[in-house]
Amino acid sequence: MSCREKQQQIKETVSKICAEFNNDPNELIAILHKTQGHYGFLPKEVQIAVAESVGVPASKVFGIVTFYSYFTMEPKGKHPVSICMGTACYVQGAEKVLREFESRLEVKNGQTTDDGKFSINTLRCIGACGLAPVVMIGDKVYGNVKPEEVNNIINEYS
Amino acid sequence: MDKVKVVVGLGSCGIAAGAGKVYQRLLEINEAEGGLFELGKTSCIGMCYKEPLVEVTDGTGTYLYGEINDKRAEEIIEKHVKNNQVVTELVEYSDKIGGKEQDFVDNQVKIVLRNCGKMDPESIDEYEKRDGYKSIKKILENNISEDDVIKTVLDSGIRGRGGGGFPTGMKWKFARGYKSDEKYVICNADEGDPGAFMDRSVLEGDPHSVIEGMIIAAYAINATGGVIYCRAEYPLAVKRLNLALEQARKRNYLGKNILGKEGFNFDLYVKEGAGAFVCGEETALIASVEGKRGMPNKRPPFPAEAGLWGKPTNINNVETYANIAWIILHGAADYAKYGTEKSKGTKVFALAGKIRNSGLVEVPMGITINDIIFKLGGGIKEGKKFKAVQMGGPSGGCIPAELGDTIVDYDSVNATGAIMGSGGMVVMDETTCMVDVARFFLNFTQKESCGKCTFCRIGTKRMLEILERITEGKGEEGDIEKLQELAAQIKDSSLCGLGQTAPNPVLTTIKYFRHEYEAHIKDRKCPAKSCKQLITYMINEKCIGCTVCARVCPTKAISGERKQPHLIDQDRCIKCGACYDACKFSSIDKL
Ligand SMILES: Cc1cc2nc3c(=O)[nH]c(=O)nc-3n(C[C@H](O)[C@H](O)[C@H](O)COP(=O)(O)O)c2cc1C
Ligand code: FES
């Protein structure tokens, strides 16, 4: 597909999403949630398409994307590993769990493995503090995670 | 005889612990047995430490079984449901026979959590059966005036549960006082404190009670629209809220001419956040609802005068709204029976950290911290020593064990230097380093500062650098004083509560654990033996030469012949602690 065709396709997809929200600039956060749900991340071209559809400067969209930690401009892995670094998880040893994931997957927090399979990021509390430390892979939540178990968890997805 | 009822707790905690699988198994069994029992769902019961939980109700009473897996589920069906034999050793609590966790249940007073874990949160019928929507009906059927509703809320003495503790009735009165053709009510469900999950449990377990509270607020201030601002990290809460809103609309609790009351038009929708702590602050929250970056604005004007879209707006926390219907139905006096002179009613706390019974508790204001931690929380895990409890999250502070007799009400907790906050209690034991905890919170607030105020943006960064230096063993004489000076300046010159309170975790730990800071700085030691750079691992004379440590060491820093004492090469050691964890003979010392 040529670059122009790709751009055209992005434009069409994004304008459909924006239309669901009546192209209302006040709904930008909801629009970006939905757009990120579709693409997995929000690269520059997509942000520009959103800005054009709702009729605001691209800088405004960029401002929102960079302000809120939920939005990312980097693609995530097929199985995004999110490690909770909230207070409860931290005092229960979440840092050791993070280090273990980093060393097993050979990438750092915020990065994606070369094969695109896993990415690691940290979260601030998903509200399952009673089961700290907590790790999420995709939508699945793992509670009471011990560093020794990390390898087995990764193997579930290999 | 009625069928035996078997109910599974399917809140986020339960699901994470495997309750979904247990439910599936029970469904299969029930099908195979031709509908032997009535299978139901509920949400968080509060005993997160015993998840997955299953409650059986038969003709004699209720029996709550904990830590259920497939096998235990089968056992319970076989013995209890089929043969009326209670599996006593698995019963956590029963209204008939007590059970292991009787203290945990008996010491609570449930107003906010009145329905949590007792009904299916996805069923409006069950909510109605448990007095749901009776309060708004009572108001409308008896033509109770707006002012009288506000008076009841005022008389109950309830104060905002989002952290600030502002009297709710007063807030409503202000919002009512401003005239406008459009007004809004907002529910703050951003639950920013990392380590707290009260609001999540209420939203997942009893969404209608929050909605009813908001409808009553809308009636009292004449609001025309409303928003529930929920953090995106709570997908289940968002789902259940949307479902509940749909059900409430169908029964005309929301919409036009509500319950036949001419001119009472009000509707609500859910708006998801996108992961910014500062959006819990009310003016930033409003900016975020309007689709902007969540930057706080100057107050006054307060939202009661000019809030969402510049219109008068009342904003309260989830727990605050969840109290309202109960107060209207039972009366202000019944509510004010609980609590202390200036802090009425009950408070929900989320217990987490090094506590045995981590979970959700609701207690009357005025109970002591020790009672919460030892009577309800079951004390500290693994028999360790209670050191401190963190209250109020990034805006709060650490209360040391010596002050365990402090009662929980707004004023007493404030007097310690911490704040009541929204109800997160993270418990710490002797192995938690208080300097590191302070560093943890500063790292959090520094990242979450929106950047508008210079002191909050740069000052927190400088404080963080000093704290990092101290925990790495590079602290300098005078660092403590520098931290105190910066703290005072940041508090003074920040616009919103984030900056004004960000130094609190540092100030309280300096106040109560100054010796730990000094040990880091002067002796290069971490008394809790938690800061990596400040500990040394040594092999003692108990070593029998089993070679386990040498095998787990990732840097090959351990050497020694089989059956001979081993040795750690300190230059190579990266202090990961793998040998310490692996040794079965306590022959590695952490110094
Ligand atoms: C940085 C910051 C974060 C806050 N986060 C929350 C929050 O997550 N939830 C909440 O209910 N209130 C939060 N608040 C308090 C709100 O600004 C506001 O006071 C509260 O929602 C009012 O409701 P209440 O009167 O029922 O407590 C926060 C305040 C600040 C300064
Ligand atoms: S602190 Fe990790 S889930 Fe709350």
Side-chain angles (χ1 to χ4, degrees):
Chain A
M1 201 189 304
S2 79
C3 201
R4 175 164 303 154
E5 275 168 0
K6 208 170 140 197
Q7 207 107 39
Q8 194 55 37
Q9 209 172 42
I10 289 178
K11 239 181 172 161
E12 274 170 29
T13 313
V14 167
S15 75
K16 258 190 224 143
I17 294 176
C18 293
E20 286 174 39
F21 296 91
N22 297 324
N23 296 323
D24 183 354
N26 301 325
E27 293 293 339
L28 264 176
I29 294 173
I31 290 172
L32 291 170
H33 265 303
K34 186 123 198 205
T35 314
Q36 180 163 302
H38 180 82
Y39 288 106
F41 68 121
L42 295 168
K44 204 168 86 191
E45 310 81 69
V46 171
Q47 293 183 39
I48 292 173
V50 170
E52 281 173 1
S53 289
V54 297
V56 296
S59 62
K60 180 158 185 203
V61 175
F62 180 74
I64 291 170
V65 170
T66 49
F67 184 85
Y68 293 99
S69 63
Y70 225 75
F71 299 131
T72 167
M73 292 170 62
E74 299 290 329
K76 284 197 178 157
K78 187 163 163 238
H79 306 293
V81 179
S82 308
I83 294 145
C84 176
M85 279 285 163
T87 322
C89 290
Y90 184 76
V91 304
Q92 292 281 71
E95 196 150 24
K96 273 194 173 170
V97 175
L98 170 64
R99 299 281 163 261
E100 191 65 25
F101 270 105
E102 286 181 334
S103 83
R104 294 275 173 191
L105 296 174
E106 296 178 353
V107 286
K108 292 263 164 239
N109 180 9
Q111 297 175 336
T112 306
T113 52
D114 287 339
D115 60 4
K117 231 169 155 179
F118 293 98
S119 57
I120 302 184
N121 74 313
T122 54
L123 287 176
R124 38 162 210 131
C125 191
I126 57 160
C129 323
L131 300 171
V134 173
V135 172
M136 263 173 92
I137 299 189
D139 289 335
K140 182 154 186 217
V141 180
Y142 296 82
N144 295 317
V145 178
K146 296 186 187 62
E148 308 80 277
E149 295 165 3
V150 165
N151 205 22
N152 284 342
I153 295 179
I154 293 173
N155 283 339
E156 284 179 35
Y157 297 86
S158 302
Chain B
M1 201 184 84
D2 281 346
K3 271 190 193 172
V4 175
K5 226 175 143 179
V6 179
V7 175
V8 184
L10 288 168
S12 281
C13 281
I15 293 172
K21 256 178 68 195
V22 170
Y23 183 81
Q24 212 50 45
R25 183 74 198 109
L26 287 169
L27 201 66
E28 286 163 20
I29 299 179
N30 206 23
E31 266 171 26
E33 302 277 351
L36 174 69
F37 50 90
E38 190 186 327
L39 182 61
K41 297 178 194 176
T42 188
S43 195
C44 181
I45 300 166
M47 279 188 206
C48 304
Y49 59 106
K50 291 287 184 189
E51 295 280 9
L53 291 158
V54 170
E55 189 170 71
V56 177
T57 308
D58 59 18
T60 64
T62 64
Y63 302 84
L64 183 66
Y65 291 106
E67 298 179 290
I68 299 303
N69 49 27
D70 282 3
K71 217 175 113 241
R72 287 184 169 174
E74 287 157 19
E75 183 183 346
I76 288 165
I77 298 302
E78 192 56 41
K79 290 195 180 148
H80 190 160
V81 178
K82 281 197 186 158
N83 295 310
N84 282 325
Q85 282 171 351
V86 176
V87 190
T88 334
E89 63 281 11
L90 294 181
V91 173
E92 306 299 346
Y93 179 76
S94 159
D95 57 5
K96 174 97 178 150
I97 59 164
K100 289 179 272 184
E101 301 298 330
Q102 192 164 13
D103 279 350
F104 185 82
V105 179
D106 287 354
N107 284 305
Q108 299 197 45
V109 175
K110 298 209 170 183
I111 294 177
V112 174
L113 303 179
R114 59 192 181 275
N115 297 325
C116 283
K118 299 228 166 68
M119 58 162 218
D120 180 355
E122 299 187 358
S123 156
I124 191 169
D125 289 331
E126 287 200 26
Y127 179 68
E128 284 182 344
K129 251 188 241 154
R130 302 183 58 87
D131 290 344
Y133 291 113
K134 264 200 190 146
S135 305
I136 185 66
K137 280 185 193 151
K138 174 176 167 181
I139 292 171
L140 297 177
E141 279 163 14
N142 299 303
N143 278 320
I144 300 177
S145 74
E146 291 92 331
D147 290 323
D148 284 342
V149 170
I150 294 179
K151 186 166 182 308
T152 305
V153 176
L154 260 179
D155 290 346
S156 75
I158 183 174
R159 293 166 67 172
R161 300 295 193 236
F166 192 82
T168 305
M170 203 100 90
K171 211 183 237 185
W172 290 19
K173 206 166 159 183
F174 291 143
R176 173 158 174 73
Y178 290 101
K179 297 279 164 264
S180 170
D181 50 351
E182 274 173 53
K183 284 191 189 180
Y184 296 98
V185 286
I186 295 180
C187 173
N188 188 342
D190 197 45
E191 191 145 74
D193 175 0
F197 50 95
M198 305 76 51
D199 296 349
R200 173 185 67 71
S201 298
V202 173
L203 294 170
E204 284 178 5
D206 193 11
H208 284 289
S209 73
V210 179
I211 295 171
E212 188 175 1
M214 291 182 77
I215 298 171
I216 296 168
Y219 172 81
I221 71 159
N222 305 117
T224 45
V227 178
I228 303 172
Y229 185 86
C230 186
R231 41 190 317 224
E233 287 89 341
Y234 291 175
L236 188 60
V238 172
K239 183 182 145 226
R240 291 197 176 148
L241 273 172
N242 277 320
L243 191 69
L245 287 174
E246 215 174 284
Q247 295 168 340
R249 267 181 218 121
K250 280 205 188 117
R251 303 213 171 161
N252 194 219
Y253 295 121
L254 290 170
K256 295 230 149 50
N257 302 323
I258 291 172
L259 299 177
K261 172 92 177 170
E262 201 66 35
F264 181 22
N265 306 327
F266 174 70
D267 209 341
L268 266 175
Y269 69 103
V270 180
K271 192 114 189 183
E272 274 184 74
F277 171 67
V278 73
C279 287
E281 196 280 335
E282 54 192 28
T283 60
L285 187 151
I286 288 170
S288 183
V289 173
E290 293 173 353
K292 302 187 200 135
R293 286 162 72 99
M295 306 280 248
N297 284 308
K298 214 170 74 218
R299 297 180 309 179
F302 284 89
E305 184 184 350
L308 187 59
W309 313 118
K311 306 287 182 191
T313 300
N314 177 68
I315 171 161
N316 279 125
N317 164 264
V318 171
E319 190 182 330
T320 314
Y321 284 125
N323 272 297
I324 298 296
W326 193 95
I327 292 173
I328 298 293
L329 202 62
H330 295 82
D334 262 16
Y335 190 78
K337 262 195 335 220
Y338 299 106
T340 61
E341 194 198 335
K342 290 192 178 143
S343 305
K344 297 294 184 199
T346 58
K347 178 80 197 83
V348 181
F349 289 102
L351 305 179
K354 307 279 178 129
I355 192 156
R356 200 178 71 89
N357 305 348
S358 54
L360 211 62
V361 298
E362 181 170 357
V363 291
M365 294 269 194
I367 167 173
T368 68
I369 290 177
N370 275 340
D371 276 351
I372 295 181
I373 291 177
F374 293 98
K375 273 205 189 136
L376 288 134
I380 308 300
K381 273 190 192 158
E382 295 164 17
K384 294 227 167 68
K385 231 176 98 196
F386 171 40
K387 182 171 185 176
V389 57
Q390 211 284 341
M391 283 180 75
S395 307
C398 291
I399 301 174
E402 302 88 83
L403 297 182
D405 287 333
T406 307
I407 58 168
V408 289
D409 71 5
Y410 290 95
D411 309 288
S412 313
V413 176
N414 281 349
T416 66
I419 60 165
M420 180 85 122
S422 55
M425 278 197 172
V426 180
V427 177
M428 297 163 187
D429 68 12
E430 56 201 294
T431 63
T432 319
C433 168
M434 302 316 276
V435 187
D436 188 51
V437 167
R439 185 201 59 78
F440 167 82
F441 279 112
L442 250 282
N443 182 35
F444 181 91
T445 35
Q446 190 269 321
K447 278 200 189 123
E448 295 292 339
S449 167
C450 78
K452 190 166 182 167
C453 307
T454 317
F455 273 88
C456 177
R457 181 179 72 241
I458 304 175
T460 54
K461 178 100 183 145
R462 293 290 95 84
M463 285 182 80
L464 175 63
E465 285 164 359
I466 296 173
L467 289 163
E468 279 174 349
R469 200 163 74 210
I470 299 177
T471 53
E472 284 165 8
K474 298 181 198 135
E476 293 162 13
E477 196 71 40
D479 272 352
I480 299 179
E481 290 69 26
K482 250 185 235 159
L483 284 171
Q484 287 170 321
E485 195 187 327
L486 274 167
Q489 287 165 343
I490 295 169
K491 275 171 159 290
D492 269 355
S493 34
S494 298
L495 178 68
C496 87
L498 192 147
Q500 287 161 9
T501 58
N504 286 351
V506 183
L507 292 176
T508 52
T509 46
I510 293 180
K511 182 169 170 192
Y512 298 115
F513 299 95
R514 197 184 174 101
H515 53 280
E516 285 198 24
Y517 280 83
E518 285 168 350
H520 281 76
I521 298 170
K522 296 198 182 118
D523 312 332
R524 302 280 187 245
K525 283 274 165 235
C526 173
K529 294 183 188 143
S530 136
C531 295
K532 247 188 181 179
Q533 271 93 336
L534 300 180
I535 44 183
T536 317
Y537 290 97
M538 300 277 258
I539 295 179
N540 61 32
E541 72 293 340
K542 283 187 227 145
C543 176
I544 60 153
C546 74
T547 75
V548 162
C549 58
R551 273 181 279 142
V552 298
C553 178
T555 58
K556 307 261 172 287
I558 306 182
S559 57
E561 294 293 314
R562 175 170 274 282
K563 304 213 168 137
Q564 295 295 317
H566 280 46
L567 193 71
I568 301 177
D569 177 353
Q570 296 299 338
D571 291 336
R572 274 204 195 166
C573 174
I574 53 163
K575 309 185 181 179
C576 66
C579 56
Y580 183 82
D581 293 336
C583 180
K584 297 209 170 52
F585 305 96
S586 316
S587 26
I588 298 180
D589 294 327
K590 210 176 182 182
L591 301 170

